[in-house]
Amino acid sequence: MTDSAKHVLISTQTFPPMSTGSSLILYSLLRHLPPKEMIAVCAICDPPLFEAPSLGIEQSRVLCGGSYTWTLRCMRRLPRLFAHLARRRIIALARRHHVRRIYAHFPNAPFLIAAWQAAERLDLPLTVYFDILWEESYPLEASLARKYEKRILQRADRRFAITEFAVGYLEKKHGLKVDLLPHVIDVAEMPCEFQPLSNGSAAAIHFCGGIYPKMNQDSVVRLAAAAKRAKVRPALDLCTAGIPAELRDQGLTCRYLRRDELRAAQRRSTILYLPQAFQSDRPVMIRHNFPTKTMEYLCSGRPILVHSPPDSYLTWLAKREGFALVVDQPDVGELAAAIDRLVEDRSLQEELVAKALAFVRTRDSKPWALKFWESLHG
């Protein structure tokens, strides 16, 4: 045992300061916890330029050939082999640092399987967290999920999921207790009220995040059509790594912004757009998913337009909390009418923002993080 014993070992593919969805979820929780009492086994933790500093938690990377590219290929094509490599690293570090619990953060099958196998080998308690469903979200991993998911959840003594829908789904699927651990955020820099735009500002709709065929692409394409039909004719600000050909063919472009620039752009936008796919071969995943950009949008002080299927968690939550105008049908005309209404109705904007800020306060990261830490020591 070392002098600086680590009590919790975290197993996850990406780790802060990476800016992926899972890393942001982890950052919001772990930033309030004692870094010297944790150690992370991960694959990718280097940030893109200008991102946030690390949490100060010791990290051990599992890489194939010292290359991120080969590591990602190995995880995709040879997940059992990569799980074996990760398991060996977890076991070695757990023994060296007197780890008393292993925490596995999904999504990543090899790191989840490795954490479970290491917990079995070392007879350690295991906590698992699903920030997205496994079998229902990753068809190429369905056989792995069918073989391991129930066994892993049965072995774990604490189980968490990101939404109430996912909690209920996993409990019914496996007959096991699952607790809610939602996406949380630091509210310290959140505006206290609606942030009005300067008079004469041209209407602009902001979208941030990846555009994926299975996740949101049809709804982003629909936005482009609705913007042309809307009376206010808003500009589209697409902050993403790339856009599909059918949007490029319309002359639309995208841009990449640093995190501070991104937040500033959101606070200057007329509408923040939050879409999910209506046309997807993963409807169960869409139904239970929670886009990680949601919390960032909610803190912007600007009104949100949600475009998501009627049975989705995002639609349910937005309607329940009243933090967004919701269009839950794949109808360009209805979406265009919602854009016009949201641009022109100042009282509606203020109402949505007030409810958004009230909801965010219920997802303050510090109290949720402390509850999470208590569970890891239970």
Side-chain angles (χ1 to χ4, degrees), residues 20 75 78 116 126 165 202 206 213 234 242 262 313 329 332 344 372:
T20 63
M75 281 191 286
L78 301 167
W116 163 66
L126 175 67
F165 278 25
H206 172 93
L262 187 63
Y313 175 77
Q329 298 298 320
V332 172
E344 296 171 346
F372 176 61

Side-chain angles (χ1 to χ4, degrees), residues 169-188:
Y169 182 83
L170 290 171
E171 286 187 335
K172 184 177 180 180
K173 181 179 181 181
H174 297 299
L176 297 164
K177 172 68 173 173
V178 179
D179 293 309
L180 175 68
L181 184 59
H183 186 185
V184 294
I185 198 165
D186 182 11
V187 303

Side-chain angles (χ1 to χ4, degrees), residues 108-172:
N108 181 264
F111 277 98
L112 177 63
I113 293 168
W116 163 66
Q117 291 173 336
E120 285 279 275
R121 180 76 60 86
L122 299 171
D123 194 26
L124 289 175
L126 175 67
T127 297
V128 296
Y129 180 37
F130 286 88
D131 73 37
I132 194 170
L133 298 179
W134 184 3
E135 179 181 357
E136 296 77 9
S137 303
Y138 300 93
L140 296 178
E141 297 179 2
S143 61
L144 281 177
R146 286 191 291 269
K147 181 175 181 179
Y148 291 116
E149 182 176 291
K150 188 177 185 69
R151 294 162 68 185
I152 292 171
L153 286 170
Q154 286 175 329
R155 174 62 174 76
D157 63 340
R158 293 305 304 269
R159 313 166 196 94
F160 294 99
I162 193 169
T163 70
E164 294 92 332
F165 278 25
V167 165
Y169 182 83
L170 290 171
E171 286 187 335
K172 184 177 180 180

Side-chain angles (χ1 to χ4, degrees), residues 81-92:
L81 172 61
F82 195 88
H84 171 74
L85 299 175
R87 182 186 72 239
R88 290 178 59 186
R89 183 70 57 83
I90 291 169
I91 289 173

Side-chain angles (χ1 to χ4, degrees), residues 185 189 257-268 296 300:
I185 198 165
E189 299 180 3
L257 299 177
R258 302 194 311 258
R259 185 160 297 277
D260 57 337
E261 293 174 333
L262 187 63
R263 289 175 177 169
Q266 290 167 356
R267 294 180 180 182
R268 292 193 302 267
E296 188 175 291
S300 68

